[in-house]
Amino acid sequence: MSALKVQKPPLIPMRSIIWLMLFTCTLVLYVLRTNMSLILIAMVNTTPSNATAAAVPECTALNKGNFSISDNETFISSETRIGRKYSVTYDWDSRLQGLILGAYFWGFVLSNIPGAAVAERFGPRKSVAVSFALSALLTLLGPLCASWHPYWLIVSRFFIGLFGGIVYPAVHCLISRWAPPAEKGKFISATLGGSLGTVVTWPLLGNVIEYVGWEWGFYISGILVLVWTFIWIVAVYDCPERHPWIGCSEKEYIVNGLSGTLSAKKCIPPYRSILTSLPAWALGVAQFGNLWGLFFLMTAGPKFMSSVLGFDLGNTGFLAAVPYLARMLAGFVFGIVGDSIIKRGSMSKSAIRKTFTVFSHIVPGLLLVGQTFVGCQATWVIFLITLSLASNGASTITNLSNAQDLAPNFAGSLYGIANCLGSTTGFLSPMLVGYLTADHNGMEEWHTIFYIGAIVYISCGLFFAIFGSGEIQPWNRCEGDEDCSNEKPVQHGIDNKGFDGTTEEKV
């Protein structure tokens, strides 16, 4: 006599765990990306003689008593004073500091396209794990590199960025294998974890540096990433078919939902077809506009608030964090809305992607124009920047989802190409701001900057709305001879019945 002994399905769906790991993956990536901005302030020997060179912000008088410093106070943020407690500081000029900060982004841009190929060839699980493990080790070596020579620190930051460029393509590769069509928006919203990473990193490392020194800014970052990497290896697998904890019903739901869109084989991405595809170019242009606005507000926004409006951002960290929190929360909402529309079948994917470009690109562009009408009104500036980034949260169901639509088999490679193009804005936008404010850093110059940003935002959005698509492209077809994962199937019980641990047991 025999009976079937069946384990109960897990209380938490495996898709939810994968979503959480994807969210924390992008969060950890931003810890590595943004930690240097704060650590460097404490590393550099800032003296009163060179600090006093800063001019009094144009709007200080109007905003005095609200968010700004006093008229006669030298404009030095509270973070700048952190490094004065410590004996080990370096006399690095602004040019050298710029090289240190920019090294990460040079590496990041270079590795997006080859990183996608690596993720699709060796699997996103291993690619992310190796990327973060090596990045964590280089981060832990940061103080040693700085003590040798600043160029060693530049080299280490370059390679951290080079490894980091693999992460987003790998994330999209994993989403293409785990997210059913009706849940793409929810899974794409997990990539907004970087917004929370920006918010978390500064206060966390600021307190660490304040009490135990800037060296521990490196150590805490590295240890945090290593711990997270271990959890990633345990919790994440490349395919639902290979995961040892997933229930049969959930596995079947995912596999059936993706049936006909994913190949069980590997092949070289069709780069020629991608580069000659108008929908693929539309995605790249939309990503360029999206990242222009995001990087502009992330890098130049604080400069505008501090050097023109007179904000002491060191004492208004919450206000600086609000726009990024708004973008993350709005991204969740837009993702749910997009998934709901797809489930009801009231709009095609192409219609959804193009329609919501109004929110992800057009509205943020118009809000940049709105900045030119509020002048020095600090409250309105904060409100418009927050609303702009919140509206851009709709990118979860426009350009951020589009790689999954066009080519599920090559979602990582396609996103890597688009992100490589878009990430150049990390250099172009600050260069433009530096050029226009070189002789005079006033409201008139910033109005020009806002107008240019609005033109880029809106024109890229319109291009995508006209030439973009949400349909699978013919070049998504794949030919090869290997399974979706290099890992061997996990053995369960006596007869290996299913991936949820179900086994037959003789009674």
Side-chain angles (χ1 to χ4, degrees):
M1 180 179 177
S2 66
L4 184 66
K5 184 178 180 181
V6 181
Q7 293 183 353
K8 293 182 179 180
L11 295 176
I12 302 176
M14 187 52 57
R15 302 193 307 286
S16 298
I17 296 177
I18 296 297
W19 184 95
L20 180 61
M21 294 308 300
L22 290 171
F23 180 82
T24 54
C25 177
T26 55
L27 187 154
V28 170
L29 178 66
Y30 267 71
V31 171
L32 293 172
R33 174 183 289 188
T34 61
N35 62 353
M36 197 67 224
S37 299
L38 187 61
I39 296 173
L40 187 61
I41 294 173
M43 294 176 69
V44 176
N45 180 27
T46 304
T47 61
S49 59
N50 57 38
T52 55
V56 176
E58 183 175 317
C59 297
T60 296
L62 178 62
N63 293 323
K64 181 181 177 181
N66 295 320
F67 308 104
S68 68
I69 55 178
S70 66
D71 291 335
N72 298 322
E73 183 180 355
T74 301
F75 188 73
I76 309 174
S77 67
S78 59
E79 287 91 354
T80 305
R81 292 185 279 266
I82 294 176
R84 298 181 182 177
K85 293 183 178 181
Y86 308 106
S87 57
V88 181
T89 56
Y90 302 97
D91 293 320
W92 295 340
D93 59 26
S94 59
R95 177 182 172 276
L96 185 56
Q97 293 178 50
L99 289 174
I100 294 172
L101 293 175
Y104 176 94
F105 295 95
W106 283 108
F108 187 83
V109 168
L110 289 176
S111 62
N112 267 269
I113 295 176
V118 168
E120 288 170 353
R121 175 64 181 84
F122 297 100
R125 180 196 186 209
K126 293 178 181 177
S127 300
V128 169
V130 172
S131 169
F132 277 126
L134 294 175
S135 296
L137 292 176
L138 288 173
T139 300
L140 292 171
L141 292 174
L144 182 62
C145 291
S147 67
W148 287 345
H149 196 280
Y151 287 162
W152 280 106
L153 185 59
I154 291 172
V155 170
S156 71
R157 290 296 296 174
F158 172 83
F159 277 101
I160 291 173
L162 195 71
F163 297 136
I166 299 174
V167 174
Y168 271 114
V171 163
H172 278 264
C173 183
L174 193 69
I175 290 174
S176 71
R177 302 176 181 185
W178 275 92
E183 299 181 13
K184 290 289 185 183
K186 180 182 73 175
F187 270 84
I188 293 296
S189 70
T191 63
L192 298 180
S195 297
L196 185 61
T198 302
V199 174
V200 169
T201 302
W202 282 65
L204 171 64
L205 296 189
N207 283 296
V208 168
I209 293 171
E210 181 72 23
Y211 289 104
V212 293
W214 60 259
E215 294 89 348
W216 277 94
F218 288 102
Y219 300 148
I220 292 296
S221 298
I223 293 171
L224 175 66
V225 174
L226 284 177
V227 171
W228 180 90
T229 302
F230 174 77
I231 298 173
W232 169 272
I233 294 172
V234 172
V236 175
Y237 282 75
D238 287 335
C239 306
E241 298 92 331
R242 302 298 175 192
H243 206 296
W245 306 339
I246 191 171
C248 280
S249 59
E250 184 180 9
K251 180 181 67 177
E252 291 174 1
Y253 169 68
I254 297 172
V255 172
N256 292 337
L258 296 175
S259 177
T261 63
L262 282 179
S263 172
K265 302 176 181 180
K266 294 181 179 179
C267 63
I268 299 173
Y271 292 113
R272 178 178 296 179
S273 298
I274 293 174
L275 294 176
T276 56
S277 170
L278 190 55
W281 274 102
L283 167 60
V285 170
Q287 182 72 348
F288 183 89
N290 173 64
L291 291 184
W292 179 284
L294 181 62
F295 287 162
F296 166 74
L297 292 176
M298 184 181 294
T299 57
K303 180 178 180 179
F304 171 69
M305 288 190 289
S306 62
S307 63
V308 178
L309 297 181
F311 283 27
D312 181 359
L313 293 179
N315 296 325
T316 56
F318 176 74
L319 293 176
V322 165
Y324 305 104
L325 290 174
R327 182 176 186 264
M328 180 185 69
L329 296 175
F332 294 157
V333 174
F334 279 114
I336 294 172
V337 170
D339 289 343
S340 177
I341 294 173
I342 291 176
K343 286 180 180 179
R344 293 200 306 268
S346 54
M347 294 176 67
S348 67
K349 286 185 180 180
S350 292
I352 293 172
R353 305 300 180 233
K354 295 182 178 185
T355 300
F356 280 88
T357 305
V358 172
F359 297 99
S360 64
H361 289 71
I362 309 301
V363 171
L366 294 176
L367 290 172
L368 287 184
V369 175
Q371 292 281 0
T372 65
F373 293 99
V374 300
C376 294
Q377 300 294 328
T379 302
W380 277 103
V381 169
I382 295 171
F383 174 76
L384 290 177
I385 289 178
T386 301
L387 195 60
S388 178
L389 280 177
S391 183
N392 181 250
S395 59
T396 55
I397 53 173
T398 57
N399 54 285
L400 294 182
S401 293
N402 198 224
Q404 306 288 332
D405 302 326
L406 301 180
N409 280 320
F410 308 108
S413 290
L414 185 55
Y415 185 83
I417 293 172
N419 206 43
C420 179
L421 177 63
S423 295
T424 59
T425 61
F427 309 112
L428 298 177
S429 179
M431 286 172 60
L432 174 68
V433 172
Y435 174 77
L436 292 176
T437 60
D439 297 326
H440 183 259
N441 186 24
M443 194 64 71
E444 182 178 351
E445 289 75 22
W446 280 92
H447 284 179
T448 302
I449 294 170
F450 289 135
Y451 287 136
I452 294 174
I455 291 172
V456 173
Y457 242 146
I458 294 173
S459 61
C460 290
L462 291 176
F463 188 91
F464 180 79
I466 296 171
F467 300 108
S469 173
E471 306 304 321
I472 294 179
Q473 300 300 296
W475 39 267
N476 179 58
R477 297 188 183 93
C478 178
E479 294 181 1
D481 56 3
E482 294 183 36
D483 190 58
C484 66
S485 173
N486 288 330
E487 301 166 3
K488 295 180 180 180
V490 181
Q491 299 297 317
H492 297 276
I494 301 172
D495 298 318
N496 190 30
K497 300 291 186 180
F499 293 89
D500 61 348
T502 304
T503 60
E504 283 188 353
E505 181 178 316
K506 301 291 182 181
V507 178

